[in-house]
Amino acid sequence: MQCGDRRLDLSRVQVMGILNVTPDSFSDGGSYYRGGCLAAEQALQRAAEMVDEGATIVDIGGESTRPGAAPVSVQEELDRVLPAVERIRAELDVVISIDSSTPEVFTETATIGAGMLNDVRALTREGALEAAAATGLPVCLMHMQGNTPADMQWAPHYDDVVQEVADFLTRRVQACERAGIPRERLILDPGFGFGKTLEHNLRLLNRLEALHALALPLLVGTSRKTMIGQALDRPVDQRQAGSLATAVIAVSKGAHIMRVHDVAATVDAVRMTEAVLRESKGEQP
Ligand code: 9MG
């Protein structure tokens, strides 16, 4: 997949490292937001570590998607994200993904070298489809029940979670195509933890193959999420093993990109899973 001037080989699973540049970072063990240049330098350092560990994509987010997180103005989001994108773009050979739903952020970051857009709202904000189309970049469309991270965990309900997620993503793919974003530039994500109970998340992971019916690459983000805390009764700083287990399952069910905090451990888990899968197809280890 062409990501700006860099190419992503989706015939192997790619690991996307999470880089939050928000003051209330979710669970990466430390936010890279300290205001201005210092934040950008720290974001660069963390991104460099993740690239050394095998990440080929870094996902930079300036708006927290944690339930109940305070909304952020467009200017604030730009102020958080742009310096980090500039520094990482100048120093590292990595695809820069922009975790945002904001049209102005798509436009500005694309101008300075972002390689893909990752929108948890699947381009539903006003002007988002048009702005994303104009960047020419690939877009990850994620499913979320409820309109915002603030209200998504309010009694999530589905008659058939897998079917409803697939139907939503199908409608968003169609909306993208109508707006001039071709299928070749789309990646899909069931949105683990976004408006879903533990049971919904486990069902989606078990039935991930069902989303291959849409014939697009799949991105999966389960790293350190509440679903792992609930299944194992573990606080956020003790969820690495559970996260790796979900990565192995996702890869064995055909995920193309894993969005994670623990890059080195995930790369090993993913490569091992791929080796086993290759053997099952009679290929060289
Ligand atoms: C920003 N963000 C947080 N969780 C995510 C997930 O599961 N998928 C994607 N695409 N983005 C996410």
Side-chain angles (χ1 to χ4, degrees), residues 16 18 20 26 59 61 63-66 97 99-100 117-120 140-143 187-194 219-223 225 259 261:
M16 169 190 265
I18 299 170
N20 291 321
F26 147 51
D59 191 38
E63 183 203 18
S64 176
T65 50
R66 209 172 40 167
S97 164
D99 159 17
S100 177
L117 307 174
N118 173 31
D119 187 0
V120 299
C140 177
L141 302 169
M142 199 199 77
H143 173 273
I187 298 165
L188 303 180
D189 183 338
F192 287 97
F194 283 81
L219 187 152
V220 167
T222 48
S223 180
K225 283 193 176 164
R259 180 182 185 275
H261 300 86

Side-chain angles (χ1 to χ4, degrees), residues 124-278:
T124 53
R125 271 200 182 150
E126 196 178 337
L129 279 166
E130 297 75 11
T135 67
L137 296 177
V139 185
C140 177
L141 302 169
M142 199 199 77
H143 173 273
M144 167 165 53
Q145 190 179 79
N147 288 328
T148 64
D151 67 12
M152 67 186 177
Q153 284 305 104
W154 191 79
H157 171 81
Y158 301 84
D159 290 326
D160 178 341
V161 66
V162 178
Q163 192 59 49
E164 287 172 49
V165 167
D167 289 348
F168 170 85
L169 291 173
T170 302
R171 289 195 299 275
R172 294 315 296 159
V173 170
Q174 290 164 348
C176 283
E177 290 185 300
R178 283 195 300 273
I181 307 174
R183 292 179 66 82
E184 298 69 46
R185 290 216 299 265
L186 295 176
I187 298 165
L188 303 180
D189 183 338
F192 287 97
F194 283 81
K196 291 156 189 106
T197 63
L198 175 61
E199 286 71 22
H200 297 141
N201 290 311
L202 297 177
R203 171 71 56 84
L204 274 168
L205 189 55
N206 269 322
R207 299 275 324 283
L208 197 66
E209 290 106 329
L211 297 180
H212 291 313
L214 283 81
L216 289 171
L218 297 181
L219 187 152
V220 167
T222 48
S223 180
R224 299 188 191 171
K225 283 193 176 164
T226 301
M227 63 180 278
I228 292 162
Q230 289 170 332
L232 301 180
D233 192 17
R234 292 269 186 262
V236 73
D237 60 344
Q238 293 172 30
R239 295 182 188 165
Q240 192 193 86
S243 302
L244 294 175
T246 59
V248 168
I249 294 168
V251 170
S252 69
K253 290 176 182 287
H256 298 81
I257 301 174
M258 292 303 306
R259 180 182 185 275
V260 304
H261 300 86
D262 301 300
V263 172
T266 307
V267 169
D268 274 0
V270 162
R271 296 292 165 247
M272 192 64 222
T273 311
E274 287 181 313
V276 175
L277 293 176
R278 272 198 302 278

